[in-house]
Amino acid sequence: MSIDGDPRDPVYRPGPAPLRSHLPILGGTLEYVDNPLATMTRRYRDHGPVSELSFLGATWTALLGPDACQIALQNADKAFANGPGWGYLVGPFFDRGLMLLDFAEHHHYRHLMQEAFTRPRLEGYARTLAPLVESGISGWTPDSAFEIYPALKSHTLDLATEVFMGGAEYARPGEIERVNTAFVDCVQAANGYIRSTAPLPFTKWGRATRGRRLLEEFLRRHLPARRANPGEDLFSALCQVADASGGIDDDDIINQMIFLLMAAHDTTTSTVTSMVYELGRDREWQERCRRQCLELGPSPTLAELEGLTDLDLVMKEALRLHPPVPVLARRAVKDTEVLGVKIPAGRLVSVMLLMSHHMPEYWTDPELFDPERFTEGRREDKSHRYAWEPFGGGVHKCLGMIFANLESKLVLSALLRHFEWSVPLDYTPPMKNDSLPFPGDGLPVELRPLSPVRAG
């Protein structure tokens, strides 16, 4: 069967039925893990915006380009569900987290959890985070090959533990390190080939099963203290909401905490790592951002962080080039269609947002790092309503995106005030794509202390 037209043509229309990939069961998986963007680009070129592929032992419908992604994310006919989509990948490990709830239940929990992300609470988080970020970043030791990714990952977990839990004063020796490992194991289970929740040794799902148990025990042990002595942290807020409304029981408080801790430190780590990489290759933008950050000092408020316009442009561009979550999972809960292609009930659906961020139809020189594309005079992100969606879209758009922005800006502003760094222009980090993408070599940068004169 042929598909008429060139998918890059703005008047392109898909054929009447999806074209199935003839790769073997693991072929689609291995191709994606090797290079997600190249895989998506080839698929869009050869099969159009809607096609079938084999991935992790199941048949998926791939949605590519903002037109196809918009239909699934807006979900006007309620044909797509998050829970059974993400559930196939990481359901046992982030079970009943907000991302895995749907329709009325999702609305109920989202409404309750919005209390944790009101502006007064965000202002409080900024006050809490600023000195922690300052002390953590300023203590780094410069190195000609400083591995920025693991350093950031450890730091953002410490920040998330403090802001969301009010600290981990009851943690046992070495437990925070084990918690960090447990989160990594749960996230990396997404692309496990052996998908059994039995704790089989030497398998991703086995490690994630053990990690989930550790996280549950860790949080359950802290819960009574947060209920008895509530603070300004998210854990306390969820306990208070549960007691006041009866809308969340202890098990679901723990479920939401596991999901939010993962989202807070994994996605922020990815965003900041990408910003460090791009600024290390572009000294002009690094200096532009540094000048603004030096004016604020070590304890910027939420309003002052929002005023870091250059850093905001850099963050948006880094999120375009390197979105922390390049693909979203859904499952069709009834027969439906996207751009004229039928999708049967029960079909797993992959909403491949990454490719929309790199399409020349919507972005000028899309592989070029160009933060000014987001300035008011250009606003290339407005070329299509769904051309830029690093936080997802529709009712499932990330609830914590403002918190993620303020944390990312706090960490970058501290880095810019204490250090300068560079990355060779011919260096491309070897990305691991078997979960959320991360640099397999830790992304070494030449980290140098900022001179006292420049630091002010």
Side-chain angles (χ1 to χ4, degrees):
M1 181 185 72
S2 63
I3 294 181
D4 296 329
D6 186 334
R8 294 166 293 183
D9 189 324
V11 299
Y12 166 78
R13 295 291 183 271
L19 184 62
R20 180 182 296 274
S21 165
H22 295 289
L23 293 168
I25 289 176
L26 292 183
T29 309
L30 298 176
E31 182 186 22
Y32 175 89
V33 168
D34 179 62
N35 191 325
L37 180 58
T39 299
M40 295 177 195
T41 303
R42 283 195 297 270
R43 175 160 293 278
Y44 187 77
R45 180 195 64 211
D46 296 343
H47 306 318
V50 186
S51 62
E52 293 180 7
L53 76 158
S54 294
F55 188 79
L56 290 171
T59 299
W60 295 69
T61 294
L63 304 183
L64 289 159
D67 290 334
C69 292
Q70 178 175 3
I71 291 169
L73 295 177
Q74 289 185 331
N75 202 17
D77 62 352
K78 293 182 169 57
F80 301 101
N82 270 37
W86 285 114
Y88 182 80
L89 298 176
V90 293
F93 317 117
F94 298 106
D95 186 36
R96 297 196 59 75
L98 187 64
M99 186 177 72
L100 279 78
L101 300 177
D102 287 291
F103 308 122
E105 189 176 36
H106 171 263
H107 177 78
H108 171 70
Y109 277 85
R110 188 179 178 95
H111 176 72
L112 292 176
M113 293 174 65
Q114 282 174 339
E115 172 61 27
F117 297 102
T118 61
R119 186 160 187 94
R121 285 195 179 271
L122 289 166
E123 290 170 341
Y125 296 155
R127 288 191 298 270
T128 300
L129 280 171
L132 299 173
V133 170
E134 177 70 13
S135 62
I137 297 297
S138 64
W140 285 1
T141 302
D143 193 289
S144 60
F146 185 88
E147 293 187 8
I148 199 77
Y149 176 77
L152 286 171
K153 190 167 182 61
S154 176
H155 185 52
T156 55
L157 179 62
D158 291 342
L159 299 178
T161 301
E162 184 66 37
V163 171
F164 287 136
M165 294 182 59
E169 63 269 31
Y170 302 108
R172 297 163 180 163
E175 193 166 33
I176 293 299
E177 291 75 12
R178 292 193 292 274
V179 165
N180 197 358
T181 300
F183 277 119
V184 173
D185 288 341
C186 288
V187 172
Q188 291 189 348
N191 278 356
Y193 298 134
I194 302 174
R195 310 177 74 76
S196 169
T197 54
L200 299 176
F202 312 116
T203 68
K204 290 184 178 181
W205 272 51
R207 288 193 293 271
T209 300
R210 291 188 293 272
R212 169 75 190 202
R213 291 173 184 168
L214 184 151
L215 294 173
E216 288 180 0
E217 191 277 332
F218 175 77
L219 290 166
R220 198 175 297 279
R221 182 157 41 84
H222 282 73
L223 195 151
R226 293 277 70 81
R227 176 168 277 134
N229 300 293
E232 294 185 339
D233 55 279
L234 175 61
F235 207 179
S236 296
L238 289 180
C239 289
Q240 291 170 322
V241 168
D243 293 343
S245 69
I248 307 178
D249 62 21
D250 286 359
D251 287 341
D252 269 348
I253 291 174
I254 291 170
N255 290 331
Q256 299 305 333
M257 285 299 303
I258 290 175
F259 166 69
L260 287 170
L261 278 167
M262 177 276 294
H265 97 283
D266 261 351
T267 57
T268 299
T269 300
S270 177
T271 300
V272 177
T273 300
S274 299
M275 294 171 74
V276 169
Y277 171 70
E278 295 296 350
L279 289 178
R281 291 160 51 85
D282 194 316
R283 295 299 301 276
E284 179 182 349
W285 271 100
Q286 187 178 145
E287 288 302 318
R288 283 179 59 168
C289 292
R290 180 173 288 110
R291 283 194 294 270
Q292 287 189 342
C293 293
L294 287 172
E295 293 175 359
L296 296 187
S299 299
T301 65
L302 176 61
E304 288 174 329
L305 290 169
E306 290 171 337
L308 293 173
T309 52
D310 285 339
L311 199 56
D312 189 60
L313 294 174
V314 167
M315 182 165 58
K316 288 178 177 177
E317 179 70 340
L319 286 168
R320 181 187 71 84
L321 289 166
H322 318 284
V325 185
V327 174
L328 304 176
R330 300 288 189 268
R331 190 187 290 268
V333 293
K334 62 182 179 181
D335 291 346
T336 188
E337 66 176 50
V338 172
L339 301 181
V341 178
K342 295 185 182 301
I343 301 176
R347 172 64 56 78
L348 288 162
V349 176
S350 179
V351 185
M352 295 184 164
L353 297 174
L354 172 63
M355 200 194 79
S356 299
H357 292 187
H358 291 261
M359 296 177 71
E361 297 94 319
Y362 307 105
W363 306 95
T364 304
D365 296 323
E367 302 312 311
L368 180 68
F369 175 71
D370 180 12
E372 288 190 339
R373 69 174 79 246
F374 288 92
T375 57
E376 286 304 318
R378 292 174 62 182
R379 290 308 301 267
E380 292 186 8
D381 55 312
K382 299 297 184 183
S383 58
H384 188 291
R385 186 174 178 181
Y386 280 76
W388 185 79
E389 288 296 335
F391 297 103
V395 298
H396 279 279
K397 192 162 190 170
C398 177
L399 180 63
M401 62 182 179
I402 298 177
F403 172 82
N405 286 347
L406 83 85
E407 184 180 14
S408 297
K409 287 182 178 179
L410 272 172
V411 174
L412 252 297
S413 65
L415 266 170
L416 287 161
R417 283 185 292 102
H418 287 283
F419 302 103
E420 57 183 357
W421 64 92
S422 57
V423 175
L425 292 177
D426 60 354
Y427 163 73
T428 301
M431 299 302 293
K432 297 286 189 180
N433 298 297
D434 52 356
S435 59
L436 299 184
F438 68 94
D441 62 353
L443 207 164
V445 303
E446 184 178 348
L447 190 69
R448 302 177 296 276
L450 198 65
S451 68
V453 173
R454 297 187 67 203

